[in-house]
Amino acid sequence: MLRFLKFLRLVFIGVFLVVAGVPAIADSPEKILLELKKSKSEMKAVFTSPLCAQLRKNVSEKTVKKMKNPVLKDIATRMLNKTYKPKVRRHKFRPYYPVHQLSRELKTNSYSQFENPTGVYFKEGEIAVIFVGKIPKGQNVSLRIQCWDQGDRYGHGDMYPLHSGANVFEVKNNGLAYFNYYTEDLGSAPVAVNIATGTANGVFYGDKSTNKDWREMLDNIEGDCLDIVGKYVQLVFCAETMKKTCPDDGLALIRNYDEIIRIQQDEIMGLTQFGHRKPNHMHGRTMWKGFMHADGFGAAFNDNTMGQVGNPQQVLKNSWAISHEFGHVNQTRPNLMWVCTTEVTNNIYSCWANYKLSPENLRLEGENCADRVGGIIGGRFNSYLNSALVHKENWLCQYGPDKRENYEDGGDHFVKVAPLWQLQLYMNVAGLGPADFYPKMFELARKADVPKTESGKVDNGALQLEFMKNACRVSNRNLMPFFEAIGMLKPIDREMDDYVRGQLTITEEDCKRLKKIGEKFPPAASPVIYYICANNVDAFRKKLPVKGTRGRGVEVSEDGTQLTFPHGKWKNVVAYETYSGDELTQISMTGLGSKNNEFTVVRYPAGSTRVDAVGWDGTRVVAYSKRTKKK
């Protein structure tokens, strides 16, 4: 029985060699390799180098027909009849920085483990014949064949060590091939490679491919997926789906993804500014289970979401979701990713990309969501203002539309990101602090030690305190009043609910100590940073005073519990505060309830006595005053 199985295996290999375009010359990769070593004189006579990547000028069809080695003869034949596709099979692969070393230096998750895509697809059982040129001394290279096809083998990969000269092996798994060449010495010479077998799919490059190439690749793909390479990001997307969502403009697709990643790496992380830029790409891929997530490979998007993330125009409109998943990879951990911020600090990237790429479609300020009163445009941001400033809830433990119950141990993720977004608006957009506020914050986080508790665990409270202290250092301003107002600088001693539960402890003494540190810096230009949002940032930037006359232009609802302030009559207001006597009961962000930021809806519940319009500098003007009867 065993002999019969071995016989079947030999027959199978022989058939597969023929299908791959390589005549069956032996019953094993070892014998194929041995025959190639014996054919050096024939190789030298027909090809310009041991890479077998180009025919000599005097080689004719007659010469090729007389060749004895079947593998070399097949390569030469395909070169003569121009079916060899040298752009896919012949390469000079450059080195990339070691993935895990880069991860340690940046304190992030892993960037692409699939650099140097070959554009060649192999099938299980196929014989791979690969010629490799000189490998720099001390360097190791290999071929990684990764299955991205839909099915049980999705995500499975195998490594095949390579050496200079001919390499022959049997492929264990269907997949796209990648030339692994990682070294800290990025000045190492490129390695020349000729991949003689496998199916030539090609790689779509944002800097040298054309949309004509895009269409041809989609129509002639082997396997499910196509490699797409930009300046900063590498994608592996399903070709059949791309025919529907992006049939004609692969260039726009990869350029839009590149811009999203550039925004993250340079405008928030400061990789170029602080000399951390490496040639390595981030990695994103199609998958068929789950929704969207990030893992050890990079960002993953379900094939059924490609209508949003695989369409060039929709990519910009959906930059929040794309930035969110790549942002998980780029979270600087743990110094900028402590307990209960796993789904928060990555959204710093989302907020900024959203603002820059689709300002008409802002997630925090523009979505119709429930705040603490009811559904309304801007409900997410308004929930933050009322949770923090009216209800005095601790940051990370605040009510929001996505966390209306049991939020005391870990609040709404979107609410939690709001004050971090305000810092970017205040510093960068309003220009009241350094435009590179976050790049400097990230650099401090990369350099910092990881504080530990006495039991050896990460000290989450110390990390939150460190963030506030660094914000004062970077801005050269006392931001402690802001942090105190929004509930970040506030005692807490609680086990928080995150993917992994963790203790968050900040004592009263910690708060007093940090306030004293803050007092060493000049005060911030605005005492109401907590009111800045994308709808009112111009008032902060231009330092515009509130303009309006009490009661003028205000529309009152039939029951008197809702007011509408038109921005044409009330200008430069950064927030409206509703009072009952001296008690602040409601806050309305600028533009609450307005799709186009043309008016602000103000809640005026029973028992209210007045509304103050707040200016960027903290001045308050009575905008409406009429006592409503308590029910």
Side-chain angles (χ1 to χ4, degrees):
M1 184 66 179
L2 183 60
R3 289 182 179 180
F4 178 70
L5 290 175
K6 286 183 177 180
F7 170 76
L8 286 179
R9 178 179 177 275
L10 297 182
V11 171
F12 177 77
I13 291 173
V15 171
F16 227 100
L17 285 167
V18 173
V19 172
V22 181
I25 58 171
D27 60 357
S28 70
E30 292 78 14
K31 288 188 177 181
I32 295 174
L33 182 60
L34 182 61
E35 291 297 327
L36 284 172
K37 289 180 178 179
K38 291 179 179 179
S39 304
K40 288 185 178 180
S41 59
E42 188 171 68
M43 187 184 295
K44 187 175 181 180
V46 175
F47 299 99
T48 58
S49 76
L51 276 179
C52 303
Q54 188 173 354
L55 295 175
R56 291 187 178 277
K57 291 182 179 180
N58 62 343
V59 173
S60 65
E61 184 177 348
K62 184 178 179 180
T63 303
V64 172
K65 284 183 177 180
K66 292 181 179 180
M67 292 178 68
K68 295 181 180 180
N69 186 289
V71 172
L72 299 179
K73 184 176 182 178
D74 176 73
I75 295 171
T77 300
R78 284 185 284 152
M79 287 182 178
L80 277 177
N81 62 28
K82 301 189 184 303
T83 61
Y84 194 71
K85 297 186 178 180
K87 287 184 179 180
V88 179
R89 299 196 177 278
R90 299 192 311 219
H91 302 271
K92 279 192 174 181
F93 288 119
R94 60 158 302 161
Y96 285 88
Y97 204 68
V99 175
H100 298 301
Q101 177 65 20
L102 182 60
S103 176
R104 286 191 293 271
E105 291 179 13
L106 298 182
K107 288 187 176 180
T108 64
N109 211 335
S110 298
Y111 279 16
S112 178
Q113 301 169 44
F114 310 99
E115 301 286 6
N116 288 322
T118 66
V120 176
Y121 180 89
F122 286 97
K123 294 181 179 179
E124 180 182 354
E126 188 169 356
I127 301 299
V129 179
I130 301 169
F131 299 92
V132 179
K134 183 179 179 182
I135 300 171
K137 186 177 180 180
Q139 304 299 343
N140 295 309
V141 300
S142 60
L143 196 74
R144 180 172 189 159
I145 298 180
Q146 192 78 15
C147 180
W148 301 122
D149 296 345
Q150 182 177 4
D152 294 339
R153 301 294 285 172
Y154 172 84
H156 181 82
D158 295 293
M159 292 282 198
Y160 303 92
L162 300 175
H163 58 265
S164 294
N167 297 260
V168 183
F169 53 87
E170 182 182 347
V171 175
K172 301 175 184 177
N173 196 59
N174 291 354
L176 289 167
Y178 303 87
F179 187 80
N180 275 15
Y181 183 13
Y182 294 96
T183 174
E184 292 184 43
D185 182 9
L186 293 175
S188 295
V191 176
V193 177
N194 179 28
I195 303 173
T197 59
T199 302
N201 280 342
V203 179
F204 187 81
Y205 294 97
D207 61 345
K208 57 187 178 184
S209 299
T210 66
N211 281 327
K212 181 182 177 182
D213 296 329
W214 174 258
R215 291 186 288 271
E216 289 177 354
M217 289 180 190
L218 293 183
D219 287 338
N220 297 284
I221 207 80
E222 186 77 31
D224 286 341
C225 294
L226 172 68
D227 281 303
I228 310 163
V229 179
K231 186 175 182 180
Y232 306 112
V233 66
Q234 175 192 358
L235 306 173
V236 182
F237 281 175
C238 177
E240 282 301 315
T241 307
M242 289 296 100
K243 290 179 185 180
K244 302 172 186 175
T245 63
C246 182
D248 299 311
D249 203 350
L251 288 174
L253 179 69
I254 190 60
R255 286 170 183 171
N256 287 347
Y257 268 88
D258 263 346
E259 181 60 8
I260 289 172
I261 302 306
R262 186 200 66 78
I263 287 171
Q264 288 199 16
Q265 293 181 330
D266 281 350
E267 297 187 16
I268 298 295
M269 298 174 73
L271 295 193
T272 299
Q273 179 178 346
F274 292 102
H276 300 298
R277 171 66 69 188
K278 296 292 190 296
N280 298 53
H281 297 79
M282 298 195 74
H283 192 268
R285 71 188 193 276
T286 292
M287 50 88 177
W288 283 269
K289 291 183 180 180
F291 181 58
M292 299 181 186
H293 67 265
D295 54 24
F297 286 162
F301 306 95
N302 194 296
D303 190 55
N304 61 25
T305 68
M306 285 293 141
Q308 290 74 48
V309 303
N311 176 293
Q313 290 72 42
Q314 292 298 321
V315 163
L316 300 182
K317 293 180 181 179
N318 289 281
S319 62
W320 182 287
I322 296 168
S323 299
H324 177 95
E325 300 306 344
F326 282 106
H328 272 307
V329 180
N330 275 330
Q331 280 177 298
T332 302
R333 60 205 69 196
N335 297 74
L336 286 177
M337 196 186 83
W338 58 95
V339 69
C340 226
T341 68
T342 304
E343 295 290 346
V344 178
T345 52
N346 60 320
N347 278 337
I348 297 172
Y349 304 115
S350 295
C351 289
W352 191 226
N354 188 195
Y355 182 79
K356 295 197 72 176
L357 301 177
S358 53
E360 75 289 346
N361 186 35
L362 297 179
R363 192 83 186 263
L364 293 184
E365 292 93 340
E367 280 195 348
N368 193 324
C369 294
D371 64 0
R372 299 186 80 112
V373 176
I376 194 167
I377 292 172
R380 292 189 187 282
F381 202 95
N382 215 56
S383 186
Y384 152 66
L385 293 179
N386 285 277
S387 295
L389 302 170
V390 177
H391 295 271
K392 307 294 184 183
E393 291 169 352
N394 215 308
W395 184 63
L396 301 181
C397 305
Q398 293 171 354
Y399 175 101
D402 294 337
K403 197 71 179 290
R404 306 184 200 186
E405 297 179 356
N406 304 319
Y407 58 87
E408 294 84 357
D409 296 336
D412 186 293
H413 298 318
F414 293 97
V415 169
K416 286 185 277 189
V417 78
L420 307 183
W421 170 225
Q422 288 181 312
L423 290 172
Q424 175 73 348
L425 284 171
Y426 184 82
M427 305 293 173
N428 192 295
V429 183
L432 296 175
D436 59 352
F437 172 80
Y438 270 119
K440 288 178 177 176
M441 290 288 285
F442 272 74
E443 180 66 0
L444 288 174
R446 284 188 287 264
K447 290 182 176 181
D449 294 329
V450 178
K452 299 289 183 68
T453 63
E454 290 183 0
S455 62
K457 295 181 179 180
V458 172
D459 191 333
N460 295 294
L463 290 174
Q464 188 164 308
L465 294 166
E466 179 185 78
F467 177 87
M468 293 183 277
K469 182 174 67 176
N470 286 345
C472 293
R473 291 173 59 191
V474 170
S475 65
N476 193 35
R477 290 293 183 269
N478 182 10
L479 298 178
M480 295 307 171
F482 165 72
F483 291 126
E484 186 174 19
I486 59 97
M488 191 179 291
L489 183 58
K490 189 174 183 178
I492 188 171
D493 187 21
R494 185 174 295 165
E495 186 182 61
M496 304 296 285
D497 184 16
D498 209 342
Y499 290 103
V500 177
R501 296 181 68 90
Q503 181 67 25
L504 179 62
T505 300
I506 295 175
T507 66
E508 185 68 48
E509 287 303 312
D510 290 329
C511 295
K512 290 178 180 178
R513 176 174 53 82
L514 219 60
K515 288 178 187 177
K516 288 183 179 180
I517 292 174
E519 290 169 358
K520 298 178 182 179
F521 298 92
S526 170
V528 290
I529 299 173
Y530 46 76
Y531 280 152
I532 196 170
C533 68
N535 292 340
N536 63 31
V537 68
D538 275 353
F540 284 87
R541 183 169 61 85
K542 298 176 182 178
K543 300 181 179 179
L544 301 172
V546 171
K547 292 184 179 181
T549 302
R550 183 185 301 191
R552 186 183 177 192
V554 180
E555 297 177 12
V556 184
S557 67
E558 194 171 311
D559 64 358
T561 63
Q562 182 170 293
L563 313 175
T564 301
F565 287 76
H567 294 176
K569 301 292 184 181
W570 284 90
K571 299 180 180 180
N572 312 320
V573 180
V574 300
Y576 291 90
E577 297 174 337
T578 301
Y579 288 87
S580 177
D582 293 330
E583 181 187 0
L584 176 64
T585 61
Q586 295 282 331
I587 297 171
S588 296
M589 62 169 274
T590 308
L592 182 68
S594 174
K595 185 177 181 180
N596 300 313
N597 196 26
E598 295 175 346
F599 57 82
T600 298
V601 171
V602 176
R603 272 66 177 267
Y604 202 66
S608 299
T609 55
R610 79 175 194 277
V611 172
D612 284 356
V614 186
W616 79 275
D617 58 355
T619 58
R620 286 167 170 81
V621 175
V622 177
Y624 183 86
S625 59
K626 185 177 180 180
R627 185 178 297 275
T628 58
K629 294 180 180 180
K630 292 185 178 181
K631 294 182 179 179

